[in-house]
Amino acid sequence: MSFAAQYTRYGRHLGMDSGGAPTAQHVRYEPNDRPPLPITIGLGLQYALISVASVVLAPTIMISIAGGSDAYLSWAVCAALLISGITTAIQARRVGRIGAGYILVMGTSTAFLAICISALERGGPGLLASLIIVAALFQFALAAKMSFLRHIFTPTVAGTVLMLIPVDVAPVIIRKLTDVPEGASAAAAPTVAAVTLLVTAGIALRSFGAWRVWAPALGIVAGCVVGGVGFGIYDTSGIAAASWVGLPAFAHPGLDFSFGPTFWALLPAFVLVTLVGAMDTLGDAIAIQQVSWRKPRAIDFRAIQGALNADGVGNLLAGIAGTVPNTTYGNSIAVAELTGIAARSVGFCVGIIFALFALLPKFVATVIAIPGPTVAAYYLILVALLFVLGVKIILQDGLDSRRSLVVGLAFWIGAAFKFGWIFPEYFEGPWSGLLGNGMAVGGLTVVFLNLLAEFGRKRRLRLRTALNEDAFAEVDGVLSRLAADRRWDEPMVRQLRAVGEETLHVLLRDTGNTQRERRLLLIAEGDANRAELEFIAAMEDTNLEDQMAMLTEGAAGTPSEEELPLRLLRHYATSVRHQQYHDTDVVAVRVDASRSSRP
């Protein structure tokens, strides 16, 4: 295969067209752009409107079932809205290492409901608050150590969790589809759902520009009008009873840090659900990056760490306030793709609107009164987009036979537990709520299967050294030893050594820009057909994958000295992945034996 042909092949792998130019997505406003104020406010309202009912519903269910007081319920709902607003704004704005820097709407997590109810019943609000606070600390630890867990919390895990969101919300959609007042016409539910679906999808498919931005809102309005005027299923009694403006009476539940037997008995479940929520946030943080830029970019794992930290802040605040912990809402990714607007200012606006909702009970009641069939039809569009996004993420991460088995098993095991297909009588009791969550079971299955695959790998070779000119000989020695152990032929050995040399050239480019000593960890492994190398070091801010994607094919003249190692690495390697974390960078390079035979 010719040198130019290899450029074309690799360019397509990185999301480039045959001419070498990055392919464009239908994104009107990227994260750094500033849309006009009417669009920002209007879209912020749309995001808030489709999420506020979920935010309010979780604490309402929790306290109602557990038998809490009305004062505590009002306090918990108001606190949930305020915390959702604060953390949504932080996700968009990014404060230091907290926040993703993208539109990620935050809200209460239904995954916590079962164990929160158990904590309320067994120890009261004080015990609940202390359990949430301590479990939140594990989320911060996960974000800080994410580079060490890169083989566990992978894009494959994220994609599988996203694919399972439709499975998890399917019962809710089905229930909402028939949620009409008693005595309503038999045609009310299907007609209202069909109108909402047709208007939203029709505008999104046939329109561009401003009309596409308003597709979700127009679909909801159309469903409400048909439901209210045509069939009388828009119930306004709750709206009339709610006050215009108001704050709940102070009813803070207090904190119980006595750490008694009940606390230690419930803590493992809280930690596990917190980690499951982190997997959900991981998937959402990867997906929002995929739909927010016109030109495809490599996944920024620093943004994922920021998203996890913001999620941890939300859980910490929820514990202090005594309400349900937070998580990211996947519908924000679907809306960003549907409208083509991913500006951070919109996410910040959503946070402000959530905070205002906490002070406007009548407005919240208006949103909650939206007919069930309208909600169901709208969510049907969102979960369809989320499923496809999950598939895209898995395909971009590479879907070989091993990953195909992992994803297929995890998806169907998650679905089977969700719908009670696998011996449900054996999974009843305190863990039934967790085991009935498809995302939780599917995500944990992916993690377990990934760990199982890791144990089956051959012995890895490791090298720890200073990242300087002396590292060339040491790296070459390790790679030569790996080649001898695996008994590779001479073309494969030359290919592997060339990849090691060019990767080091790239890593050493910015050595002169820093006074501190930089260290390198090389992890090398392989089998009969391929070699996989991980170079772990601190690098400059620019992502290596993005730099390689920007190399133009067939450019006039000779490549610059800075470009040459990138071009050679792109030529020799089968794939290159650059994962950027805070203080740590991982460059994963793969070399297939089939490529070593080319001239």
Side-chain angles (χ1 to χ4, degrees):
M1 189 179 292
S2 69
F3 197 55
Q6 288 299 325
Y7 283 167
T8 303
R9 177 182 175 187
Y10 202 93
R12 285 174 182 157
H13 177 65
L14 289 175
M16 301 167 68
D17 61 22
S18 57
T23 56
Q25 300 183 31
H26 297 292
V27 177
R28 296 188 65 212
Y29 295 99
E30 294 185 325
N32 298 323
D33 296 336
R34 285 190 172 274
L37 189 59
I39 289 181
T40 300
I41 296 175
L43 197 55
L45 275 170
Q46 291 185 56
Y47 275 106
L49 289 176
I50 63 174
S51 303
V52 67
S54 299
V55 175
V56 171
L57 191 60
T60 302
I61 293 173
M62 177 186 74
I63 295 170
S64 299
I65 293 177
S69 65
D70 290 340
Y72 179 34
L73 174 58
S74 300
W75 166 269
V77 169
C78 182
L81 285 167
L82 285 172
I83 293 168
S84 298
I86 292 169
T87 50
T88 299
I90 290 175
Q91 288 283 22
R93 205 70 160 181
R94 185 186 287 179
V95 180
R97 294 187 176 185
I98 303 175
Y102 293 89
I103 302 176
L104 280 176
V105 175
M106 300 288 295
T108 52
S109 172
T110 55
F112 279 91
L113 276 180
I115 57 174
C116 284
I117 291 170
S118 179
L120 278 176
E121 291 176 339
R122 296 174 64 179
L127 175 65
L128 171 67
S130 62
L131 283 165
I132 295 172
I133 290 172
V134 174
L137 301 180
F138 286 84
Q139 182 124 347
F140 292 119
L142 173 62
K145 300 298 182 183
M146 197 173 174
S147 61
F148 296 99
L149 301 171
R150 62 188 179 276
H151 294 299
I152 299 176
F153 293 94
T154 64
T156 300
V157 174
T160 305
V161 169
L162 283 173
M163 289 170 60
L164 281 165
I165 290 177
V167 174
D168 244 17
V169 302
V172 177
I173 292 176
I174 294 171
R175 188 167 61 249
K176 280 289 184 183
L177 194 61
T178 57
D179 183 15
V180 294
E182 188 176 348
S185 169
T191 303
V192 171
V195 168
T196 306
L197 189 66
L198 289 173
V199 171
T200 305
I203 295 174
L205 292 172
R206 302 289 299 175
S207 302
F208 298 93
W211 279 106
R212 192 165 183 235
V213 174
W214 296 102
L218 292 174
I220 292 173
V221 169
C224 290
V225 170
V226 172
V229 177
F231 296 97
I233 62 172
Y234 193 102
D235 186 5
T236 59
S237 58
I239 302 173
S243 59
W244 284 100
V245 180
L247 275 174
F250 184 80
H252 189 274
L255 302 175
D256 178 9
F257 286 114
S258 58
F259 300 118
T262 306
F263 173 89
W264 296 111
L266 292 174
L267 182 61
F270 272 83
V271 172
L272 182 57
V273 177
T274 298
L275 295 179
V276 169
M279 286 191 287
D280 188 15
T281 302
L282 168 75
D284 291 344
I286 291 177
I288 193 63
Q289 294 183 55
Q290 303 292 310
V291 303
S292 294
W293 302 98
R294 297 184 188 96
K295 297 178 181 179
R297 293 189 174 195
I299 297 169
D300 185 355
F301 285 82
R302 294 169 300 184
I304 298 172
Q305 288 178 289
L308 290 171
N309 280 326
D311 198 354
V313 168
N315 289 351
L316 190 63
L317 293 175
I320 293 172
T323 191
V324 182
N326 270 26
T327 189
T328 52
Y329 280 2
N331 56 26
S332 58
I333 298 108
V335 174
E337 184 174 39
L338 189 65
T339 61
I341 296 179
R344 294 187 182 97
S345 57
V346 174
F348 194 76
C349 181
V350 177
I352 295 174
I353 292 171
F354 269 150
L356 291 175
F357 279 175
L359 309 176
L360 302 172
K362 191 175 286 291
F363 199 84
V364 173
T366 303
V367 175
I368 294 175
I370 292 175
T374 298
V375 176
Y378 182 66
Y379 265 90
L380 184 62
I381 295 174
L382 297 187
V383 297
L385 292 173
L386 286 174
F387 182 86
V388 175
L389 277 174
V391 173
K392 285 181 179 179
I393 289 170
I394 291 171
L395 291 175
Q396 289 174 359
D397 195 39
L399 193 63
D400 55 18
S401 58
R402 182 181 66 85
R403 284 199 179 115
S404 297
L405 177 62
V406 168
V407 173
L409 274 176
F411 180 85
W412 285 110
I413 289 175
F417 271 86
K418 175 64 182 179
F419 297 113
W421 295 338
I422 300 181
F423 309 115
E425 64 273 14
Y426 294 109
F427 300 105
E428 296 178 351
W431 294 95
S432 60
L434 180 64
L435 294 174
N437 185 300
M439 288 190 299
V441 175
L444 291 173
T445 302
V446 176
V447 170
F448 172 76
L449 292 176
N450 280 341
L451 289 173
L452 190 64
E454 289 290 314
F455 284 128
R457 293 191 175 189
K458 291 186 178 180
R459 185 174 64 90
R460 297 171 175 175
L461 300 182
R462 294 174 181 265
L463 170 67
R464 296 179 185 271
T465 185
L467 184 56
N468 53 36
E469 296 293 335
D470 296 335
F472 282 97
E474 295 180 85
V475 168
D476 189 69
V478 169
L479 297 184
S480 297
R481 183 149 50 98
L482 178 68
D485 290 345
R486 302 300 187 265
R487 298 181 181 179
W488 287 325
D489 57 18
E490 188 59 30
M492 177 66 172
V493 175
R494 289 198 302 267
Q495 193 92 357
L496 183 64
R497 295 173 66 187
V499 164
E501 180 179 352
E502 300 309 328
T503 305
L504 273 179
H505 275 301
V506 175
L507 292 171
L508 285 168
R509 284 182 312 177
D510 63 327
T511 302
N513 299 333
T514 180
Q515 298 298 319
R516 63 189 179 94
E517 182 185 32
R518 298 168 62 203
R519 303 291 298 175
L520 171 69
L521 169 63
L522 169 63
I523 302 174
E525 62 175 316
D527 53 28
N529 300 313
R530 67 183 180 185
E532 294 183 1
L533 314 176
E534 283 189 334
F535 296 81
I536 304 172
M539 289 183 61
E540 55 188 344
D541 287 338
T542 307
N543 188 279
L544 179 58
E545 284 184 68
D546 292 336
Q547 287 181 297
M548 297 178 76
M550 293 303 294
L551 293 176
T552 55
E553 179 184 354
T558 58
S560 67
E561 184 178 349
E562 184 175 331
E563 282 187 355
L564 188 58
L566 290 172
R567 290 183 179 274
L568 290 173
L569 180 58
R570 188 166 88 169
H571 174 63
Y572 289 127
T574 304
S575 68
V576 178
R577 291 284 184 267
H578 182 187
Q579 299 178 0
Q580 292 178 286
Y581 303 90
H582 292 301
D583 301 327
T584 305
D585 284 71
V586 180
V587 179
V589 186
R590 175 176 158 182
V591 181
D592 285 350
S594 59
R595 293 172 63 94
S596 63
S597 60
R598 70 176 186 271

